[in-house]
């Protein structure tokens, strides 16, 4: 049975019951008050001094913004100074590593390159074996892949730093 058939079989409504209800009417018993409106002729209206346009700082917001910019500039200057102080130590350490690698003989540098290659191949084989085991058991997910990529990135950074 359809809804229309079920509704048609029920009791009939009177025209008053079938009509939509009347919307509520607002009865205004108070008149609109204009006492809260500002009259431009009264002294309550704020005015600016005549030299307002010649002032460097015109608003409190502008003064606060200038304070923040000054503080940021001081912080940038301090950071630059500390960066210059710290960069000397980094350059000294870099020079020591460069000197050490340049003093290696040809055989020693060849051995270093071979050990780097063996380390990268060994690490790749180990991580590949572990990933295959996780895949076989259905536990290889994005977390495991991300950890493996992080290990590769770490080894790449170390190789990049020491392998110059």
């Amino acid at each position: 049975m359809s809804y229309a058939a079920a509704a048609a079989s029920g009791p009939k409504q009177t025209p008053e019951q079938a009509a939509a209800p009347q919307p509520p009417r607002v009865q205004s018993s108070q008149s609109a008050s204009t006492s809260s409106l500002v009259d431009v002729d009264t002294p309550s209206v704020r005015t600016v001094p005549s030299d307002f346009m010649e002032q460097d700082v015109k608003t409190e917001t502008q003064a606060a913004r200038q304070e923040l910019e000054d503080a940021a500039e001081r912080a940038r200057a301090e950071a630059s100074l500390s960066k210059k102080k710290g960069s000397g130590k980094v350059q000294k350490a870099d020079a020591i590593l460069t000197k050490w690698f340049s003093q290696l003989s040809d055989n020693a540098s060849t051995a270093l390159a071979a050990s780097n290659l063996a380390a990268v191949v060994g690490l790749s084989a180990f991580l590949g074996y572990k990933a295959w085991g996780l895949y076989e058991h259905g536990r290889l997910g994005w977390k495991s892949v991300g950890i493996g990529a992080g290990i590769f990135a770490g080894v790449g950074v170390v190789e990049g730093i020491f392998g110059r």
Side-chain angles (χ1 to χ4, degrees):
M1 176 186 284
S2 70
Y3 176 76
S9 67
K12 302 295 179 197
Q13 291 181 331
T14 64
E16 292 82 24
Q17 291 175 335
Q22 292 295 321
R25 296 187 188 253
V26 177
Q27 303 230 348
S28 62
S29 61
Q30 298 175 352
S31 63
S33 172
T34 58
S35 63
S36 64
L37 300 176
V38 177
D39 187 8
V40 293
D41 297 331
T42 61
S44 66
V45 175
R46 310 251 183 225
T47 58
V48 295
S50 60
D51 65 340
F52 177 75
M53 294 305 286
E54 288 82 32
Q55 294 177 355
D56 288 338
V57 179
K58 294 180 176 57
T59 64
E60 293 173 12
T61 306
Q62 189 178 16
R65 180 183 53 84
Q66 286 180 348
E67 271 184 39
L68 287 174
E69 287 175 352
D70 292 342
E73 183 62 35
R74 285 192 301 274
R76 261 189 246 110
E78 289 175 12
S80 174
L81 182 62
S82 65
K83 188 176 182 182
K84 287 178 184 175
K85 286 181 182 177
S87 67
K89 295 176 184 175
V90 171
Q91 289 175 351
K92 184 178 178 183
D94 191 33
I96 291 170
L97 286 173
T98 305
K99 182 180 175 186
W100 182 73
F101 281 118
S102 67
Q103 289 176 350
L104 291 175
S105 65
D106 286 336
N107 291 337
S109 63
T110 304
L112 182 64
S115 65
N116 282 343
L117 179 64
V120 168
V121 169
L123 180 66
S124 299
F126 175 74
L127 289 176
Y129 177 74
K130 285 296 198 180
W132 184 258
L134 289 173
Y135 176 75
E136 288 274 319
H137 292 99
R139 292 186 300 181
L140 181 66
W142 286 110
K143 183 179 179 183
S144 303
V145 172
I147 290 171
I151 291 172
F152 268 127
V155 170
V157 167
V158 170
E159 290 285 326
I161 291 172
F162 293 115
R164 283 192 206 181

